[in-house]
Amino acid sequence: MTQIDLDKEKVLAMAKEMDVEFIRLQFTDILGVLKNVAIPVQQLEKALDGEIMFDGSSIEGFVRIEESDMLLKPDPATFTIFPWRPRSGAVARLICDVYNADGTPFAGCPRLTLKRVLAEAEAMGYAFTVGPEIEFFLFLTDKQGRPTTYTQDRASYFDLAPVDLGENARRDMVLALQEMGFEVKASHHEVAPGQHEIDLIYNDGLRVADQIVTLKYAVRAIAQRHGLHASFMPKPIFGVAGSGMHLHLSLFKDRINVFYDPNSPDGLSDTALFFLGGLLRHVRGFTAITNSLVNSYKRLLSDFEAPRYINWSKQNHSPLIRVTSWPEIGTWLEVRSPDPCCNPYLALAVMLKAGLEGIRQQVLPPPPMKQSSIQLYGAIRTAIESDELPEDLGKALRELSRDELIQEALGPHIYQRFMEAKTIEWNHYRTQIHRWEINEYLNRF
């Protein structure tokens, strides 16, 4: 039985068979932070009927105190056991959609937002698939158990133990994810000391967003059991590579990858080029969503293969969008700017919306980049500013405020609440006095 075949009765039977005692009803807030309401298994049937209420006024970007009562409606296909918890009296989880108290869909639910854009794709005859590559750091903790920025190894790309001392932790993470129904494509040490990557096989866009939030939760829980802290922060250490979340996007129609055209010289269909054109046209508008932290832009401004310029290529691994056109299923657009701190439901929604608009408007991309982006960092740039991604969160928010299509993808509620929260975050950051300023100026002036 696959997870997608699960329904209410099967979930109830599995919970009894697996000796489940507690269920965590999970959802994300607008900023992508995973939340949950824990219930005893005796309340599971009520939960599956969508009758569990919670106070939405305490969740970032949800509702005001006078609108606080909200409903959680679990997706039975997301039922799984936490394998790192005891098997006797096990803990399971269900990912939920959020509804208003009157039973109508809540406009601020990120998962329902992605479902709405997926329905647009379906109406055009497309199924949206995604393959994520998720990077993170494993840091040591201090005597009080607080995270540090000290890594437990000095390994680099694809190194093995004993140089890669995080290998055992990463192995346990992969085993746990597989037990939860994930199909892991690969895992390995990344470029920086203490940096790791787990790649998942492509899947339906909604399932992948569910998997991303689950993977982050599982990785942090298992790292803690190894005495480590897992961080998905985009740029936690100066002078080494940051952590990205490359997303491989493709569209299928009748189980055929419509991005591939065997009669095209480069293997790319017109549909793929139009989708690519839409992504490039709107990337400045959706960057605040895919790169949602102040810290995100310190990764994008670095020279460790993180994309900075709005370009694409089939010839190297450094552009914003890398295109592969292997026969049929292996043809995808790899968007390399997002980082793992974004809300994956919103990130996939805005990218899909941009790509679909490119198809509708038949937007052709500019010519592909010939040289690597790394070479461009040291070159004299004469291109106009629009050839670059926003260089900080403030500029990214301004670009979002100008892009009506991306606002439409988010919906008025999420757009307004996201802008409010992130504008406060940006203003708070830029008014602070940072340690660099003290070190640089205090003795000199």
Side-chain angles (χ1 to χ4, degrees):
M1 180 190 303
T2 62
Q3 283 187 303
I4 201 168
D5 296 324
L6 294 178
D7 57 20
K8 173 185 171 181
E9 298 307 321
K10 290 174 182 176
V11 167
L12 290 171
M14 289 176 66
K16 183 176 181 179
E17 178 185 344
M18 296 179 177
D19 191 28
V20 172
E21 286 291 344
F22 294 97
I23 310 290
R24 293 188 178 179
L25 304 179
Q26 297 184 330
F27 59 98
T28 71
D29 65 14
I30 286 174
L31 304 183
V33 178
L34 188 63
K35 306 289 185 179
N36 75 231
V37 174
I39 60 171
V41 73
Q42 292 79 7
Q43 298 294 312
L44 177 56
E45 185 169 7
K46 182 179 178 181
L48 289 167
D49 288 334
E51 298 176 4
I52 298 295
M53 301 196 77
F54 75 103
D55 180 5
S57 65
S58 59
I59 305 299
E60 180 70 58
F62 267 30
V63 293
R64 297 166 296 185
I65 188 67
E66 62 270 23
E67 306 165 328
S68 59
D69 290 337
M70 313 203 76
L71 291 168
L72 293 175
K73 294 195 175 184
D75 181 346
T78 65
F79 179 81
T80 189
I81 304 292
F82 290 150
W84 58 89
R85 300 299 298 267
R87 297 310 172 94
S88 177
V91 177
R93 79 90 199 268
L94 286 159
I95 294 179
C96 304
D97 296 323
V98 183
Y99 281 73
N100 298 309
D102 62 4
T104 58
F106 172 47
C109 176
R111 197 169 188 266
L112 288 175
T113 298
L114 176 56
K115 280 186 171 183
R116 173 168 48 80
V117 183
L118 288 169
E120 289 184 35
E122 186 177 358
M124 296 173 66
Y126 300 125
F128 181 53
T129 65
V130 183
E133 300 176 349
I134 304 165
E135 297 173 344
F136 57 94
F137 279 86
L138 292 178
F139 291 123
L140 297 172
T141 57
D142 64 18
K143 292 180 180 179
Q144 287 73 42
R146 295 171 300 196
T148 71
T149 54
Y150 297 106
T151 62
Q152 87 289 14
D153 68 52
R154 303 302 301 173
S156 187
Y157 206 48
F158 292 126
D159 276 342
L160 304 171
V163 178
D164 174 10
L165 300 180
E167 184 176 6
N168 288 337
R170 195 175 67 238
R171 172 183 176 274
D172 287 349
M173 293 166 188
V174 170
L175 290 174
L177 292 172
Q178 290 176 326
E179 196 167 343
M180 295 174 77
F182 285 56
E183 191 172 353
V184 177
K185 180 180 178 181
S187 70
H188 60 82
H189 199 286
E190 256 295 336
V191 174
Q195 189 181 34
H196 303 263
E197 177 176 309
I198 297 177
D199 305 336
L200 304 179
I201 292 290
Y202 77 95
N203 208 330
D204 165 76
L206 182 65
R207 296 299 163 215
V208 167
D210 289 340
Q211 288 178 339
I212 291 170
V213 296
T214 301
L215 181 146
K216 290 166 63 177
Y217 177 77
V219 163
R220 298 192 77 170
I222 294 169
Q224 190 174 44
R225 291 173 177 264
H226 283 262
L228 300 168
H229 174 75
S231 176
F232 295 88
M233 185 176 173
K235 189 71 171 176
I237 305 176
F238 172 76
V240 301
S243 292
M245 184 172 70
H246 300 174
L247 297 170
H248 299 204
L249 313 182
S250 54
L251 293 179
F252 281 71
K253 181 177 286 190
D254 299 325
R255 299 188 177 183
I256 296 173
N257 188 345
V258 297
F259 282 1
Y260 176 67
D261 181 357
N263 299 316
S264 170
D266 57 7
L268 289 176
S269 68
D270 288 344
T271 301
L273 292 173
F274 296 150
F275 195 99
L276 173 60
L279 288 173
L280 294 173
R281 173 176 286 185
H282 291 281
V283 65
R284 291 176 65 84
F286 66 63
T287 293
I289 303 299
T290 57
N291 305 83
S292 58
L293 305 184
V294 167
N295 181 257
S296 297
Y297 298 84
K298 298 187 177 181
R299 166 181 166 256
L300 295 178
L301 286 173
S302 73
D303 58 357
F304 292 92
E305 295 191 15
R308 177 175 176 181
Y309 301 108
I310 300 174
N311 51 30
W312 69 282
S313 177
K314 293 183 62 179
Q315 297 180 347
N316 60 71
H317 289 244
S318 62
L320 172 68
I321 300 178
R322 185 173 73 91
V323 177
T324 67
S325 56
W326 299 337
E328 298 183 26
I329 202 169
T331 302
W332 60 68
L333 308 180
E334 179 185 356
V335 186
R336 302 178 61 257
S337 57
D339 64 56
C341 288
C342 70
N343 185 321
Y345 299 104
L346 299 184
L348 293 181
V350 295
M351 287 190 288
L352 177 57
K353 184 79 170 183
L356 293 178
E357 183 69 5
I359 294 173
R360 292 190 186 99
Q361 299 295 326
Q362 297 190 356
V363 179
L364 285 172
M369 178 188 67
K370 299 299 183 183
Q371 63 184 140
S372 82
S373 289
I374 299 173
Q375 293 171 306
L376 291 179
Y377 289 128
I380 297 174
R381 293 283 294 171
T382 57
I384 59 173
E385 184 183 358
S386 61
D387 286 336
E388 297 186 30
L389 294 173
E391 64 183 21
D392 58 47
L393 181 60
K395 291 182 178 178
L397 292 172
R398 285 197 292 275
E399 293 293 339
L400 174 57
S401 72
R402 297 167 182 159
D403 196 318
E404 294 181 359
L405 182 81
I406 302 306
Q407 295 173 33
E408 180 184 334
L410 297 172
H413 180 104
I414 289 181
Y415 168 68
Q416 292 167 8
R417 300 300 172 89
F418 182 88
M419 288 291 290
E420 289 170 4
K422 288 299 170 178
T423 299
I424 291 171
E425 180 179 334
W426 172 243
N427 287 335
H428 187 232
Y429 168 77
R430 67 188 183 132
T431 56
Q432 294 293 310
I433 308 302
H434 301 280
R435 174 53 54 185
W436 183 92
E437 297 171 87
I438 299 297
N439 293 340
E440 188 75 9
Y441 301 134
L442 190 62
N443 290 332
R444 292 171 57 195
F445 298 100

